[in-house]
Structures are given as structure tokens and as C-alpha cells.
């Protein structure tokens, strides 16, 4: 198996898609699948799939393809979702509440154990069993509960300060929704910066040369 640090970012970015697609196939009762069939599901090439998966070992069999269930287990191990990661959320505004109420953290092997805010009306509330604590209690909570991941939904001007605080609290990774680019090399832990605007602009790009009148023609 290749060292994880030597695997390209492009390959890593495709792994969640493999996992999601295979979970959907398993739900549909599919037991095995060839690289060609999986490629058709994901709009990739069979050689690309074989090359990507070969970075982590040989999971397919000649003439048989891939066992869907076994490949799911391998991807869970590779992605780190097999072990339950404990998470906290900072900033229980509209976005933070939406994540707590609607996002399926368990699909990613993550279990939220607490949220934090400074607004008195929010502190003490409960979202799907996840209590909201006063942000001043962060250090004591982290020392006691040892969370692994922080979901950062604070205002942009607080992002860097709170991220540095989280690192001091022992957080090992940050899922960042603040629209401020936090850097792994500065903070010393993995960061995933999420920009909803990027996804929307990609949609706009693909739409820009589409004639709306042509779409309505029969």
C-alpha cells in the first residue's frame, strides 16, 4: 500500500465518491461490480478506477471485479470512517443549526458530542441530542471529552483565532465553513475549507453556454 502522504490530492478527492456510490449500490442489492461498470456509474474510466484503488492495495479479482461489501469496508478503513470520530461544532447560527439538525454525520463515521456559542438564548438548547455549551467552557470540555474534529461555523473575523484555540485544545482536524482559508501548514493539523460558492459557480460555468430555449424544445 502506498504511503498516504504520497497519494495525490486528486485521488483522495475521488475516494468519497467511490464510497458514496458503493454504499448506494449495496443498498440496491448489488454484490459485485467490475471497474467498467463502476466507471459508468461515476463518469470515470475503468483504468482510472483501477489506478486509484491500486494506490491502496489490490481489491479486485480478474474476471470477478470488486466485491461491493468488501470494497466498502476497505474504503471505510482508508478514509478513516470506520473508527468513530468525536466532533464539536463552534457557532450555532443558521448554518450551524442546519448542520446539527439535518446533516448525517454518522455516514462519515463522525459523532457530534457538543456545540458551542456565545448567545445566551442558544446556550442550553439541544439539537438532536447535541447540547449547546457556553464557548467559555471549550477548554474544559475538550480536556474532559477529547473530541477529534471541530466544525467551525463562527464569523469570518473570528476564524483564525478560534482555529488556533481549537488546536491548543487538542483538536486534530477542522471542517471549516467560515469562508476564510485556514492553512494546514500554519495550524499544524488537517483542514478542510468548505466554500458553497465554489460549487454554485461551477454550476453556473456549466450552464453559461446552454440556450434556455433549446432545453424546452421537444
Amino acid at each position: 500500500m502506498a504511503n498516504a502522504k504520497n497519494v495525490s490530492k486528486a485521488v483522495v478527492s475521488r475516494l468519497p465518491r467511490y464510497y458514496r456510490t458503493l454504499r448506494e449500490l449495496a443498498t440496491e442489492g448489488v454484490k459485485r461490480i467490475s471497474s467498467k461498470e463502476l466507471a459508468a456509474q461515476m463518469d470515470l474510466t475503468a483504468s482510472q478506477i483501477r489506478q486509484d484503488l491500486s494506490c491502496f492495495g489490490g481489491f479486485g479479482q480478474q474476471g470477478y471485479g470488486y466485491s461491493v461489501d468488501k470494497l466498502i469496508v476497505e474504503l471505510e478503513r482508508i478514509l478513516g470512517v470506520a473508527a468513530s470520530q468525536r466532533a464539536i461544532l463552534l457557532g450555532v447560527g443558521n448554518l450551524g443549526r442546519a448542520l446539527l439538525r439535518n446533516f448525517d454525520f454518522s455516514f462519515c463515521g463522525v459523532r457530534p458530542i457538543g456545540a458551542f456559542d456565545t448567545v445566551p438564548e442558544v446556550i442550553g438548547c439541544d439539537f438532536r441530542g447535541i447540547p449547546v455549551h457556553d464557548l467559555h467552557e471549550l477548554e474544559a470540555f475538550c480536556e474532559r471529552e477529547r473530541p477529534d474534529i471541530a466544525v467551525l461555523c463562527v464569523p469570518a473575523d473570528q476564524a483564525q483565532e478560534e482555529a488556533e484555540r481549537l488546536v491548543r485544545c487538542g483538536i486534530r482536524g477542522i471542517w471549516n465553513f467560515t469562508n476564510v482559508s485556514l492553512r494546514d501548514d500554519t495550524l499544524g493539523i488537517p483542514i478542510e475549507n468548505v466554500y458553497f460558492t465554489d460549487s454554485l459557480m461551477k454550476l453556473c460555468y456549466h450552464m453559461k453556454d446552454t440556450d434556455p430555449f433549446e432545453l424546452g424544445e421537444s
Side-chain angles (χ1 to χ4, degrees):
M1 181 186 297
N3 187 306
K5 293 184 178 179
N6 297 327
V7 178
S8 73
K9 290 183 178 180
V11 172
V12 173
S13 70
R14 285 191 288 271
L15 293 180
R17 287 187 59 205
Y18 289 133
Y19 181 66
R20 186 174 66 252
T21 302
L22 288 162
R23 286 281 298 264
E24 291 170 354
L25 290 169
T27 300
E28 295 168 3
V30 178
K31 297 299 182 183
R32 67 175 181 176
I33 192 167
S34 68
S35 56
K36 182 178 180 180
E37 291 168 331
L38 186 55
Q41 290 275 343
M42 299 183 61
D43 196 24
L44 296 172
T45 65
S47 61
Q48 181 70 75
I49 288 175
R50 290 192 295 268
Q51 183 177 344
D52 286 353
L53 296 179
S54 70
C55 293
F56 305 95
F59 306 123
Q61 298 178 21
Q62 187 73 29
Y64 178 88
Y66 300 101
S67 164
V68 171
D69 289 340
K70 288 182 179 179
L71 191 50
I72 287 172
V73 171
E74 291 294 342
L75 286 170
E76 286 177 339
R77 178 181 57 80
I78 293 165
L79 287 165
V81 302
S84 180
Q85 306 277 6
R86 292 152 61 84
I88 56 175
L89 183 144
L90 269 64
V92 191
N94 290 333
L95 176 57
R97 295 180 197 188
L99 289 171
L100 292 174
R101 285 171 170 158
N102 303 308
F103 185 74
D104 185 6
F105 285 90
S106 64
F107 184 86
C108 307
V110 174
R111 179 167 64 90
I113 59 173
F116 295 84
D117 207 291
T118 59
V119 178
E121 291 77 15
V122 176
I123 296 168
C125 291
D126 186 288
F127 296 90
R128 285 202 306 176
I130 304 161
V132 181
H133 304 274
D134 191 313
L135 189 56
H136 290 105
E137 300 174 9
L138 178 64
E139 283 77 8
F141 182 94
C142 289
E143 183 176 358
R144 183 174 68 252
E145 301 294 340
R146 302 293 183 185
D148 306 288
I149 294 171
V151 183
L152 200 56
C153 300
V154 299
D157 60 356
Q158 300 174 23
Q160 186 67 36
E161 178 183 355
E162 293 301 339
E164 292 172 0
R165 183 182 179 188
L166 288 164
V167 172
R168 292 194 297 270
C169 286
I171 289 295
R172 300 190 295 114
I174 296 176
W175 198 23
N176 173 34
F177 287 89
T178 66
N179 284 323
V180 173
S181 291
L182 300 176
R183 294 180 51 173
D184 303 33
D185 56 352
T186 299
L187 291 168
I189 63 172
I191 309 291
E192 184 67 26
N193 296 306
V194 180
Y195 295 98
F196 293 121
T197 53
D198 289 9
S199 180
L200 183 56
M201 284 191 286
K202 282 193 283 186
L203 174 63
C204 293
Y205 170 82
H206 290 298
M207 291 172 59
K208 65 184 175 68
D209 294 326
T210 301
D211 187 338
F213 295 101
E214 291 181 358
L215 295 177
E217 292 179 357
S218 57

